[in-house]
Amino acid sequence: MAAELRLHWQGEEKGLFAVMARDELYAEHIDPLVREHRDLEALLGAVDLADPADQDRVRTAVFDLHEHIAKEEDGLFPASLTTLSGDEWDASMRAWHAAHPGETMIGE
Ligand SMILES: [Fe+2]
């Protein structure tokens, strides 16, 4: 999970987030999302799944991740559709490909 998320975060943060954060309006929404990435990364790097307390922390983190994804999918991503230029989409796509070498996006 941590390995998959690291690649996802890399593509997102160096791509779509970086492009959209040039606009202060979006930056104020993106900064907390990046902090949530780092918080989950820290948890996943330190968690001991044999420890019941850590198991609870992971369960909570998964519920929090669902909320995080909803903020992206219901807010930021729809906004990107009407905000980004062609060059900005290209930059976002390049970052995704850099994070996922050899993989293709749906529809490519
Ligand atoms: Fe995210």
Side-chain angles (χ1 to χ4, degrees):
M1 182 176 177
E4 284 293 323
L5 283 172
R6 269 188 214 102
L7 295 177
H8 170 78
W9 293 329
Q10 178 188 335
E12 204 168 61
E13 292 174 20
K14 294 186 181 227
L16 191 69
F17 282 13
V19 169
M20 291 192 78
R22 294 174 189 158
D23 183 323
E24 200 174 301
L25 172 68
Y26 297 119
E28 71 183 52
H29 296 282
I30 290 168
D31 291 346
L33 293 171
V34 173
R35 277 197 300 278
E36 290 171 9
H37 290 174
R38 295 293 82 78
D39 290 347
L40 183 53
E41 184 174 36
L43 173 67
L44 293 176
V47 73
D48 174 5
L49 291 178
D51 179 342
D54 278 1
Q55 292 170 9
D56 285 342
R57 281 193 271 279
V58 170
R59 278 189 202 95
T60 299
V62 169
F63 284 113
D64 291 346
L65 182 59
H66 178 79
E67 214 171 286
H68 172 95
I69 291 168
K71 285 184 246 176
E72 293 173 340
E73 292 188 348
D74 299 337
L76 198 62
F77 296 165
S80 72
L81 296 174
T82 58
T83 300
L84 299 187
S85 68
D87 288 343
E88 290 170 326
W89 274 116
D90 289 344
S92 297
M93 299 288 278
R94 277 193 303 275
W96 188 91
H97 282 291
H100 302 86
E103 294 184 36
T104 56
M105 290 182 155
I106 296 171
E108 281 187 310

